[in-house]
Amino acid sequence: MKVLVIGSGGREHVLAWKLSKSRNVDKVFCAPGNGGISRVAKCVNIKANNIKALVDFATRNKIGLTVVGPEDPLTKGIVNEFQKKRMKIFGPDQKAAQLEGSKVFTKEFMKKYHIPTAAFKVFSTSAEAIGFCKSVEFPVVIKADGLAAGKGVILARNFEQAVASIEDIMNKKIFGDAGNKIVIESFLKGAEISVMAFTDGKTILPLLSSQDHKQAYDGDRGPNTGGMGAYCPTSIMNNALYDQVMEYIIRPTITGLQQEGITYKGILYAGLMITETGPKVLEYNCRFGDPETQVVLPLLKTDLLELMLAVVNQKLAGIQKLNWSDESAACVVMASKGYPSKYRTGLKISGLQNVNSNALQVFHAGTEQKGNQYVTSGGRVLGVVGIDKTLQQALNKAYQGVNKIKFEGAMFRRDIGSKALKPKTSVR
Ligand code: AMP
Ligand code: GLY
């Protein structure tokens, strides 16, 4: 079968790499892909949100399965367009993708179905939002309703910061129409983990849990980013917590959606805060997380194409459970100097040829190939992933890889996984 992966980041590189190893995959295409992805897939120059061109490409090339990486085309309804042509595509349809596309929809949904999350209020005018902030306890978290490329969540520590953020989002429209409405919610304390699950709208198969590192600098300091590193599995997850996450969060989400007339097919990603009073949902994503997927998929032993087809064909009940390696994986993201603000591109990357083995993978996020040379083309440039018996060994491997790769101003965190280096209680 021919498969098409849509997107151009580290997530899409690991998806294309893993699919290229699937028994029944003959050829992998990636649109638009990047420099590194061209090692495992044929990159086609179509942007991820050019839905019409993607439908045409998939039809002309008899693509058996299309896999959508980023949220943007999902919230714009790419799945509905493929389905109209009876083409198989992995991901939720437009209605189901609202779970990521609208924070107002999602918070109200969670309230209706008693899914644990931070207490919140929704506002459509800045005056009302500011009025509300006069009587809240700080800090609070202010969230733009719509998609804002991961930047739409602001922590306000006091009234002045809250006013400035509300005005930026609702009056100055720094995130455009995504800021027509906002959610203000209480600040949750605890450890954050990511839980992803395959679902066909009926059956749910969770993946191993992972942990992202959102802040740019060591010690969780600095601005939020798309993610500076991750590891899998987490030591926080144990059997009791797993049962709670499934019983109070993942299952009620899928059944709640069913009751709303929405069949969710694809990957459901729950970003969770593990608080003193149990796990609470920070956000849902309607797709694989990045960089989390770079550490989860290398440990998956079940055939990825089979799983994705089972989701699309609503036959997931036929797969009893997922099989996993009992190793650990750790990803260290190498980013451009200045990320997540302004950064230069076009810088030569050297040393890549020294670091590829089965247990040390380099997934490309923002790279371009110029002749025989890879150059930087984005904020997050590479994900260096070590796989080994223990998390410590996986981290050592990843950092050994990082030390061999050079580009001007390369920035990376030196403390990925350090909070987790405690004995594991359970891996699930
Ligand atoms: P999101 O884009 O919704 O994942 O938010 C980005 C990050 O903001 C999350 O990964 C958390 O670290 C943080 N965050 C979001 N909501 C809350 C909250 N209610 N309390 C504490 N931190 C939060
Ligand atoms: N790593 C968080 C995300 O994919 O949104």
Side-chain angles (χ1 to χ4, degrees), residues 92-119:
D93 66 13
Q94 190 166 24
K95 263 194 185 165
Q98 285 181 93
L99 221 45
E100 178 163 1
S102 167
K103 297 223 187 285
V104 171
F105 168 85
T106 300
K107 293 295 288 192
E108 283 169 353
F109 168 80
M110 287 193 275
K111 189 170 169 193
K112 183 168 172 187
Y113 292 97
H114 310 292
I115 296 165
T117 187

PDB file of all heavy atoms in Angstrom, residues 92-119:
ATOM      1  N   PRO A  92      -9.337  12.738  13.131  1.00  0.00           N
ATOM      2  CA  PRO A  92     -10.727  13.062  13.395  1.00  0.00           C
ATOM      3  C   PRO A  92     -11.301  14.018  12.351  1.00  0.00           C
ATOM      4  O   PRO A  92     -10.552  14.796  11.744  1.00  0.00           O
ATOM      5  CB  PRO A  92     -10.673  13.747  14.764  1.00  0.00           C
ATOM      6  CG  PRO A  92      -9.286  14.273  14.888  1.00  0.00           C
ATOM      7  CD  PRO A  92      -8.409  13.372  14.090  1.00  0.00           C
ATOM      8  N   ASP A  93     -12.627  13.978  12.164  1.00  0.00           N
ATOM      9  CA  ASP A  93     -13.248  14.914  11.214  1.00  0.00           C
ATOM     10  C   ASP A  93     -13.363  16.293  11.864  1.00  0.00           C
ATOM     11  O   ASP A  93     -12.958  16.496  13.008  1.00  0.00           O
ATOM     12  CB  ASP A  93     -14.592  14.367  10.714  1.00  0.00           C
ATOM     13  CG  ASP A  93     -15.633  14.292  11.818  1.00  0.00           C
ATOM     14  OD1 ASP A  93     -15.425  14.876  12.903  1.00  0.00           O
ATOM     15  OD2 ASP A  93     -16.668  13.642  11.600  1.00  0.00           O
ATOM     16  N   GLN A  94     -13.932  17.227  11.102  1.00  0.00           N
ATOM     17  CA  GLN A  94     -13.908  18.620  11.544  1.00  0.00           C
ATOM     18  C   GLN A  94     -14.620  18.828  12.885  1.00  0.00           C
ATOM     19  O   GLN A  94     -14.131  19.565  13.742  1.00  0.00           O
ATOM     20  CB  GLN A  94     -14.554  19.497  10.464  1.00  0.00           C
ATOM     21  CG  GLN A  94     -14.352  20.973  10.720  1.00  0.00           C
ATOM     22  CD  GLN A  94     -14.691  21.815   9.518  1.00  0.00           C
ATOM     23  OE1 GLN A  94     -15.469  21.391   8.652  1.00  0.00           O
ATOM     24  NE2 GLN A  94     -14.117  23.001   9.435  1.00  0.00           N
ATOM     25  N   LYS A  95     -15.758  18.170  13.046  1.00  0.00           N
ATOM     26  CA  LYS A  95     -16.498  18.327  14.311  1.00  0.00           C
ATOM     27  C   LYS A  95     -15.672  17.801  15.480  1.00  0.00           C
ATOM     28  O   LYS A  95     -15.591  18.421  16.530  1.00  0.00           O
ATOM     29  CB  LYS A  95     -17.795  17.524  14.239  1.00  0.00           C
ATOM     30  CG  LYS A  95     -19.007  18.315  13.845  1.00  0.00           C
ATOM     31  CD  LYS A  95     -20.200  17.450  14.171  1.00  0.00           C
ATOM     32  CE  LYS A  95     -21.486  18.033  13.728  1.00  0.00           C
ATOM     33  NZ  LYS A  95     -22.539  17.002  13.753  1.00  0.00           N
ATOM     34  N   ALA A  96     -15.077  16.616  15.284  1.00  0.00           N
ATOM     35  CA  ALA A  96     -14.319  15.993  16.372  1.00  0.00           C
ATOM     36  C   ALA A  96     -13.056  16.793  16.681  1.00  0.00           C
ATOM     37  O   ALA A  96     -12.608  16.857  17.832  1.00  0.00           O
ATOM     38  CB  ALA A  96     -13.964  14.552  15.993  1.00  0.00           C
ATOM     39  N   ALA A  97     -12.486  17.437  15.665  1.00  0.00           N
ATOM     40  CA  ALA A  97     -11.241  18.195  15.850  1.00  0.00           C
ATOM     41  C   ALA A  97     -11.460  19.478  16.653  1.00  0.00           C
ATOM     42  O   ALA A  97     -10.499  20.126  17.069  1.00  0.00           O
ATOM     43  CB  ALA A  97     -10.610  18.520  14.497  1.00  0.00           C
ATOM     44  N   GLN A  98     -12.750  19.844  16.891  1.00  0.00           N
ATOM     45  CA  GLN A  98     -13.027  21.006  17.750  1.00  0.00           C
ATOM     46  C   GLN A  98     -12.427  20.841  19.131  1.00  0.00           C
ATOM     47  O   GLN A  98     -12.215  21.804  19.841  1.00  0.00           O
ATOM     48  CB  GLN A  98     -14.534  21.162  17.948  1.00  0.00           C
ATOM     49  CG  GLN A  98     -15.291  21.707  16.791  1.00  0.00           C
ATOM     50  CD  GLN A  98     -16.751  21.793  17.205  1.00  0.00           C
ATOM     51  OE1 GLN A  98     -17.197  22.825  17.682  1.00  0.00           O
ATOM     52  NE2 GLN A  98     -17.475  20.697  17.057  1.00  0.00           N
ATOM     53  N   LEU A  99     -12.209  19.587  19.518  1.00  0.00           N
ATOM     54  CA  LEU A  99     -11.631  19.315  20.831  1.00  0.00           C
ATOM     55  C   LEU A  99     -10.289  20.037  20.982  1.00  0.00           C
ATOM     56  O   LEU A  99      -9.874  20.379  22.072  1.00  0.00           O
ATOM     57  CB  LEU A  99     -11.435  17.803  20.970  1.00  0.00           C
ATOM     58  CG  LEU A  99     -11.769  17.134  22.279  1.00  0.00           C
ATOM     59  CD1 LEU A  99     -13.080  17.576  22.860  1.00  0.00           C
ATOM     60  CD2 LEU A  99     -11.742  15.624  22.129  1.00  0.00           C
ATOM     61  N   GLU A 100      -9.581  20.223  19.881  1.00  0.00           N
ATOM     62  CA  GLU A 100      -8.369  21.049  19.924  1.00  0.00           C
ATOM     63  C   GLU A 100      -8.645  22.453  19.381  1.00  0.00           C
ATOM     64  O   GLU A 100      -8.049  23.431  19.837  1.00  0.00           O
ATOM     65  CB  GLU A 100      -7.238  20.403  19.095  1.00  0.00           C
ATOM     66  CG  GLU A 100      -5.987  21.271  19.092  1.00  0.00           C
ATOM     67  CD  GLU A 100      -4.707  20.573  18.661  1.00  0.00           C
ATOM     68  OE1 GLU A 100      -4.757  19.370  18.324  1.00  0.00           O
ATOM     69  OE2 GLU A 100      -3.656  21.234  18.659  1.00  0.00           O
ATOM     70  N   GLY A 101      -9.561  22.558  18.432  1.00  0.00           N
ATOM     71  CA  GLY A 101      -9.770  23.819  17.710  1.00  0.00           C
ATOM     72  C   GLY A 101     -10.475  24.888  18.508  1.00  0.00           C
ATOM     73  O   GLY A 101     -10.328  26.075  18.223  1.00  0.00           O
ATOM     74  N   SER A 102     -11.249  24.483  19.520  1.00  0.00           N
ATOM     75  CA  SER A 102     -11.964  25.492  20.322  1.00  0.00           C
ATOM     76  C   SER A 102     -11.892  25.153  21.802  1.00  0.00           C
ATOM     77  O   SER A 102     -12.453  24.152  22.257  1.00  0.00           O
ATOM     78  CB  SER A 102     -13.427  25.584  19.896  1.00  0.00           C
ATOM     79  OG  SER A 102     -14.145  26.333  20.867  1.00  0.00           O
ATOM     80  N   LYS A 103     -11.212  26.018  22.554  1.00  0.00           N
ATOM     81  CA  LYS A 103     -11.079  25.768  23.993  1.00  0.00           C
ATOM     82  C   LYS A 103     -12.428  25.972  24.691  1.00  0.00           C
ATOM     83  O   LYS A 103     -12.717  25.316  25.686  1.00  0.00           O
ATOM     84  CB  LYS A 103     -10.027  26.688  24.590  1.00  0.00           C
ATOM     85  CG  LYS A 103      -8.633  26.437  24.019  1.00  0.00           C
ATOM     86  CD  LYS A 103      -7.571  26.457  25.081  1.00  0.00           C
ATOM     87  CE  LYS A 103      -6.159  26.390  24.529  1.00  0.00           C
ATOM     88  NZ  LYS A 103      -5.736  25.082  24.057  1.00  0.00           N
ATOM     89  N   VAL A 104     -13.274  26.863  24.141  1.00  0.00           N
ATOM     90  CA  VAL A 104     -14.586  27.099  24.751  1.00  0.00           C
ATOM     91  C   VAL A 104     -15.433  25.832  24.596  1.00  0.00           C
ATOM     92  O   VAL A 104     -16.030  25.337  25.565  1.00  0.00           O
ATOM     93  CB  VAL A 104     -15.279  28.315  24.100  1.00  0.00           C
ATOM     94  CG1 VAL A 104     -16.721  28.437  24.568  1.00  0.00           C
ATOM     95  CG2 VAL A 104     -14.499  29.596  24.404  1.00  0.00           C
ATOM     96  N   PHE A 105     -15.469  25.281  23.380  1.00  0.00           N
ATOM     97  CA  PHE A 105     -16.204  24.030  23.135  1.00  0.00           C
ATOM     98  C   PHE A 105     -15.733  22.956  24.123  1.00  0.00           C
ATOM     99  O   PHE A 105     -16.534  22.267  24.757  1.00  0.00           O
ATOM    100  CB  PHE A 105     -15.971  23.560  21.690  1.00  0.00           C
ATOM    101  CG  PHE A 105     -16.431  22.148  21.418  1.00  0.00           C
ATOM    102  CD1 PHE A 105     -17.753  21.884  21.075  1.00  0.00           C
ATOM    103  CD2 PHE A 105     -15.540  21.070  21.528  1.00  0.00           C
ATOM    104  CE1 PHE A 105     -18.185  20.581  20.840  1.00  0.00           C
ATOM    105  CE2 PHE A 105     -15.974  19.763  21.298  1.00  0.00           C
ATOM    106  CZ  PHE A 105     -17.293  19.527  20.956  1.00  0.00           C
ATOM    107  N   THR A 106     -14.415  22.834  24.244  1.00  0.00           N
ATOM    108  CA  THR A 106     -13.847  21.743  25.024  1.00  0.00           C
ATOM    109  C   THR A 106     -14.106  21.897  26.515  1.00  0.00           C
ATOM    110  O   THR A 106     -14.446  20.922  27.193  1.00  0.00           O
ATOM    111  CB  THR A 106     -12.330  21.686  24.749  1.00  0.00           C
ATOM    112  OG1 THR A 106     -12.187  21.451  23.362  1.00  0.00           O
ATOM    113  CG2 THR A 106     -11.661  20.580  25.504  1.00  0.00           C
ATOM    114  N   LYS A 107     -13.960  23.118  27.025  1.00  0.00           N
ATOM    115  CA  LYS A 107     -14.207  23.310  28.453  1.00  0.00           C
ATOM    116  C   LYS A 107     -15.684  23.038  28.760  1.00  0.00           C
ATOM    117  O   LYS A 107     -16.008  22.399  29.761  1.00  0.00           O
ATOM    118  CB  LYS A 107     -13.821  24.727  28.888  1.00  0.00           C
ATOM    119  CG  LYS A 107     -12.340  25.052  28.827  1.00  0.00           C
ATOM    120  CD  LYS A 107     -11.461  24.259  29.769  1.00  0.00           C
ATOM    121  CE  LYS A 107     -11.590  24.627  31.211  1.00  0.00           C
ATOM    122  NZ  LYS A 107     -10.502  24.014  32.043  1.00  0.00           N
ATOM    123  N   GLU A 108     -16.579  23.513  27.892  1.00  0.00           N
ATOM    124  CA  GLU A 108     -18.011  23.287  28.152  1.00  0.00           C
ATOM    125  C   GLU A 108     -18.362  21.804  28.034  1.00  0.00           C
ATOM    126  O   GLU A 108     -19.154  21.276  28.802  1.00  0.00           O
ATOM    127  CB  GLU A 108     -18.848  24.190  27.245  1.00  0.00           C
ATOM    128  CG  GLU A 108     -18.811  25.597  27.839  1.00  0.00           C
ATOM    129  CD  GLU A 108     -19.360  26.708  26.982  1.00  0.00           C
ATOM    130  OE1 GLU A 108     -19.689  26.438  25.799  1.00  0.00           O
ATOM    131  OE2 GLU A 108     -19.452  27.842  27.492  1.00  0.00           O
ATOM    132  N   PHE A 109     -17.703  21.140  27.087  1.00  0.00           N
ATOM    133  CA  PHE A 109     -17.886  19.689  26.923  1.00  0.00           C
ATOM    134  C   PHE A 109     -17.446  18.958  28.201  1.00  0.00           C
ATOM    135  O   PHE A 109     -18.159  18.094  28.721  1.00  0.00           O
ATOM    136  CB  PHE A 109     -17.074  19.214  25.702  1.00  0.00           C
ATOM    137  CG  PHE A 109     -16.934  17.733  25.592  1.00  0.00           C
ATOM    138  CD1 PHE A 109     -17.971  16.961  25.077  1.00  0.00           C
ATOM    139  CD2 PHE A 109     -15.772  17.084  26.014  1.00  0.00           C
ATOM    140  CE1 PHE A 109     -17.853  15.573  24.974  1.00  0.00           C
ATOM    141  CE2 PHE A 109     -15.645  15.702  25.911  1.00  0.00           C
ATOM    142  CZ  PHE A 109     -16.689  14.951  25.391  1.00  0.00           C
ATOM    143  N   MET A 110     -16.275  19.321  28.718  1.00  0.00           N
ATOM    144  CA  MET A 110     -15.761  18.634  29.914  1.00  0.00           C
ATOM    145  C   MET A 110     -16.683  18.877  31.115  1.00  0.00           C
ATOM    146  O   MET A 110     -16.904  17.983  31.927  1.00  0.00           O
ATOM    147  CB  MET A 110     -14.335  19.104  30.236  1.00  0.00           C
ATOM    148  CG  MET A 110     -13.315  18.555  29.264  1.00  0.00           C
ATOM    149  SD  MET A 110     -11.614  18.788  29.818  1.00  0.00           S
ATOM    150  CE  MET A 110     -11.283  20.432  29.251  1.00  0.00           C
ATOM    151  N   LYS A 111     -17.219  20.095  31.197  1.00  0.00           N
ATOM    152  CA  LYS A 111     -18.116  20.413  32.307  1.00  0.00           C
ATOM    153  C   LYS A 111     -19.370  19.535  32.213  1.00  0.00           C
ATOM    154  O   LYS A 111     -19.794  18.918  33.188  1.00  0.00           O
ATOM    155  CB  LYS A 111     -18.492  21.888  32.225  1.00  0.00           C
ATOM    156  CG  LYS A 111     -19.230  22.399  33.408  1.00  0.00           C
ATOM    157  CD  LYS A 111     -19.326  23.907  33.314  1.00  0.00           C
ATOM    158  CE  LYS A 111     -20.282  24.463  34.326  1.00  0.00           C
ATOM    159  NZ  LYS A 111     -20.597  25.849  34.017  1.00  0.00           N
ATOM    160  N   LYS A 112     -19.921  19.473  31.004  1.00  0.00           N
ATOM    161  CA  LYS A 112     -21.160  18.706  30.802  1.00  0.00           C
ATOM    162  C   LYS A 112     -20.985  17.230  31.168  1.00  0.00           C
ATOM    163  O   LYS A 112     -21.883  16.621  31.739  1.00  0.00           O
ATOM    164  CB  LYS A 112     -21.584  18.844  29.329  1.00  0.00           C
ATOM    165  CG  LYS A 112     -22.881  18.167  28.981  1.00  0.00           C
ATOM    166  CD  LYS A 112     -23.351  18.609  27.603  1.00  0.00           C
ATOM    167  CE  LYS A 112     -24.538  17.794  27.140  1.00  0.00           C
ATOM    168  NZ  LYS A 112     -24.889  18.092  25.746  1.00  0.00           N
ATOM    169  N   TYR A 113     -19.799  16.672  30.825  1.00  0.00           N
ATOM    170  CA  TYR A 113     -19.603  15.230  31.061  1.00  0.00           C
ATOM    171  C   TYR A 113     -18.758  14.939  32.306  1.00  0.00           C
ATOM    172  O   TYR A 113     -18.242  13.827  32.469  1.00  0.00           O
ATOM    173  CB  TYR A 113     -19.021  14.572  29.799  1.00  0.00           C
ATOM    174  CG  TYR A 113     -20.066  14.589  28.693  1.00  0.00           C
ATOM    175  CD1 TYR A 113     -20.051  15.588  27.725  1.00  0.00           C
ATOM    176  CD2 TYR A 113     -21.094  13.653  28.662  1.00  0.00           C
ATOM    177  CE1 TYR A 113     -21.044  15.647  26.742  1.00  0.00           C
ATOM    178  CE2 TYR A 113     -22.080  13.702  27.688  1.00  0.00           C
ATOM    179  CZ  TYR A 113     -22.049  14.691  26.742  1.00  0.00           C
ATOM    180  OH  TYR A 113     -23.035  14.746  25.787  1.00  0.00           O
ATOM    181  N   HIS A 114     -18.613  15.950  33.175  1.00  0.00           N
ATOM    182  CA  HIS A 114     -17.924  15.786  34.460  1.00  0.00           C
ATOM    183  C   HIS A 114     -16.513  15.239  34.298  1.00  0.00           C
ATOM    184  O   HIS A 114     -16.080  14.366  35.059  1.00  0.00           O
ATOM    185  CB  HIS A 114     -18.740  14.879  35.398  1.00  0.00           C
ATOM    186  CG  HIS A 114     -20.167  15.295  35.495  1.00  0.00           C
ATOM    187  ND1 HIS A 114     -20.546  16.470  36.109  1.00  0.00           N
ATOM    188  CD2 HIS A 114     -21.307  14.737  35.000  1.00  0.00           C
ATOM    189  CE1 HIS A 114     -21.851  16.599  36.000  1.00  0.00           C
ATOM    190  NE2 HIS A 114     -22.338  15.576  35.325  1.00  0.00           N
ATOM    191  N   ILE A 115     -15.801  15.718  33.298  1.00  0.00           N
ATOM    192  CA  ILE A 115     -14.405  15.304  33.110  1.00  0.00           C
ATOM    193  C   ILE A 115     -13.533  16.305  33.880  1.00  0.00           C
ATOM    194  O   ILE A 115     -13.675  17.515  33.685  1.00  0.00           O
ATOM    195  CB  ILE A 115     -14.061  15.280  31.601  1.00  0.00           C
ATOM    196  CG1 ILE A 115     -14.927  14.205  30.922  1.00  0.00           C
ATOM    197  CG2 ILE A 115     -12.573  15.025  31.384  1.00  0.00           C
ATOM    198  CD1 ILE A 115     -14.962  14.292  29.419  1.00  0.00           C
ATOM    199  N   PRO A 116     -12.668  15.809  34.773  1.00  0.00           N
ATOM    200  CA  PRO A 116     -11.929  16.735  35.648  1.00  0.00           C
ATOM    201  C   PRO A 116     -11.015  17.685  34.880  1.00  0.00           C
ATOM    202  O   PRO A 116     -10.207  17.259  34.055  1.00  0.00           O
ATOM    203  CB  PRO A 116     -11.124  15.812  36.565  1.00  0.00           C
ATOM    204  CG  PRO A 116     -11.239  14.440  36.003  1.00  0.00           C
ATOM    205  CD  PRO A 116     -12.403  14.390  35.085  1.00  0.00           C
ATOM    206  N   THR A 117     -11.169  18.977  35.167  1.00  0.00           N
ATOM    207  CA  THR A 117     -10.361  20.016  34.520  1.00  0.00           C
ATOM    208  C   THR A 117     -10.373  21.237  35.437  1.00  0.00           C
ATOM    209  O   THR A 117     -11.140  21.267  36.413  1.00  0.00           O
ATOM    210  CB  THR A 117     -10.939  20.338  33.116  1.00  0.00           C
ATOM    211  OG1 THR A 117     -10.058  21.232  32.445  1.00  0.00           O
ATOM    212  CG2 THR A 117     -12.334  20.962  33.182  1.00  0.00           C
ATOM    213  N   ALA A 118      -9.566  22.250  35.141  1.00  0.00           N
ATOM    214  CA  ALA A 118      -9.529  23.445  35.990  1.00  0.00           C
ATOM    215  C   ALA A 118     -10.856  24.195  35.899  1.00  0.00           C
ATOM    216  O   ALA A 118     -11.463  24.258  34.816  1.00  0.00           O
ATOM    217  CB  ALA A 118      -8.386  24.353  35.541  1.00  0.00           C
ATOM    218  N   ALA A 119     -11.300  24.799  37.034  1.00  0.00           N
ATOM    219  CA  ALA A 119     -12.511  25.631  37.029  1.00  0.00           C
ATOM    220  C   ALA A 119     -12.298  26.789  36.060  1.00  0.00           C
ATOM    221  O   ALA A 119     -11.173  27.280  35.904  1.00  0.00           O
ATOM    222  CB  ALA A 119     -12.748  26.171  38.436  1.00  0.00           C
TER     223      ALA A 119
END
